[in-house]
Amino acid sequence: MSQQISPRSISIFSPSESVAVEQHTSTPSVQRTVSGTATVEGRLTSPVARVPAATEACGGITVKGHTLKTFAYTTDAAVIRNTNANAILAVYPFTGEPVITQALLTVAQQPLFVGVGGGTTTGGRVIELAMVAEMQGAAGVVINAPAPAETVEATMNAVDIPVIATVTNDDTITEHKILAGAAIINVAAGARTPEVVRSIRAHHPEVPILASGGASDESITATIEAGADAVTWTPPSAQQLQSQMMAKYRGD
């Protein structure tokens, strides 16, 4: 008697450890930890650009009911689609264009906070870009550090989504932006970020602070301990991830 073979078990390939670099199952990976957290991972599309574990120590910033601890600082559509960060901080060094915002909103699965200028782009155009971004569905807008407090205030009055004001120091300019009504202060002070966060937090315990986490667990922890509610994290580029994958395929 011949043995019946299920159609699903037939394959033209003969998998082996020496050949199969990636192994895909027929169902997503599902597991539950001792603490009760259930985890579901897709076969092909689970996030690859994962945030560092150190970011879990953040208290988070709750925006419209969603608590956001990590903001991936990227405009790479492929990375945006494949990161587990809670939100996307899409700021880029070009004049803001609604078509770019629309493209990123198409791939983002998380709230998208998009840059609307404040450096190269100034004045009324910042406000117009913020209004269009709100209509397109952005979760919030980011105004660059050179923009004056008046721009922050005018943008706050024009839109109903959070306005994030980027700062590099704890000075009178930052104070004016806080008084102007910035919903979130984004500290981007390089290596001095923990110092600036600590200084702002000392006299503004109520202000939501987003800050650069840096490149290591130590710098992320230092930023959080200084008083940051959430951190920005720069994920590896798609090219870096591709390079790592090719090295794996070559057996390097």
Side-chain angles (χ1 to χ4, degrees), residues 40-250:
V40 178
E41 296 285 359
R43 292 186 300 115
L44 304 173
T45 57
S46 288
V48 175
R50 295 177 182 263
V51 298
T55 60
E56 283 299 316
C58 290
I61 300 172
T62 299
V63 177
K64 295 185 177 180
H66 299 276
T67 299
L68 312 176
K69 295 184 178 184
T70 52
F71 289 66
Y73 175 38
T74 180
T75 54
D76 189 316
V79 172
I80 288 174
R81 190 69 181 177
N82 289 279
T83 181
N84 68 334
N86 301 138
I88 305 299
L89 192 76
V91 179
Y92 48 90
F94 312 108
T95 298
E97 294 186 72
V99 67
I100 296 177
T101 301
Q102 192 61 58
L104 298 181
L105 283 167
T106 300
V107 297
Q109 302 176 84
Q110 315 90 327
L112 180 79
F113 294 77
V114 63
V116 292
T120 303
T121 307
T122 60
R125 185 178 177 92
V126 173
I127 300 168
E128 291 172 0
L129 285 170
M131 294 174 67
V132 173
E134 178 181 30
M135 295 175 190
Q136 289 175 299
V141 294
V142 186
I143 297 180
N144 291 339
E150 289 79 7
T151 300
V152 173
E153 182 177 29
T155 306
M156 284 289 298
N157 290 333
V159 299
D160 191 44
I161 53 178
V163 174
I164 299 178
T166 302
V167 302
T168 58
N169 290 287
D170 182 22
D171 51 20
T172 54
I173 295 175
T174 297
E175 186 69 19
H176 289 162
K177 290 181 180 181
I178 293 173
L179 295 176
I184 300 170
I185 294 296
N186 174 36
V187 180
R192 296 185 300 106
T193 294
E195 172 191 339
V196 175
V197 169
R198 187 174 295 107
S199 180
I200 296 173
R201 179 60 73 213
H203 52 273
H204 281 292
E206 80 291 350
V207 171
I209 297 178
L210 172 65
S212 304
S216 67
D217 286 350
E218 291 74 19
S219 61
I220 291 171
T221 299
T223 298
I224 295 170
E225 291 180 346
D229 298 296
V231 296
T232 58
W233 167 70
T234 303
S237 68
Q239 290 73 23
Q240 289 172 310
L241 293 171
Q242 182 71 30
S243 177
Q244 295 170 11
M245 182 180 292
M246 291 307 299
K248 183 179 179 181
Y249 289 160
R250 293 191 299 266

Side-chain angles (χ1 to χ4, degrees), residues 20-33:
V21 176
E22 296 174 294
Q23 180 180 358
H24 302 304
T25 60
S26 59
T27 59
S29 170
V30 180
Q31 62 180 344
R32 178 180 289 275
T33 63

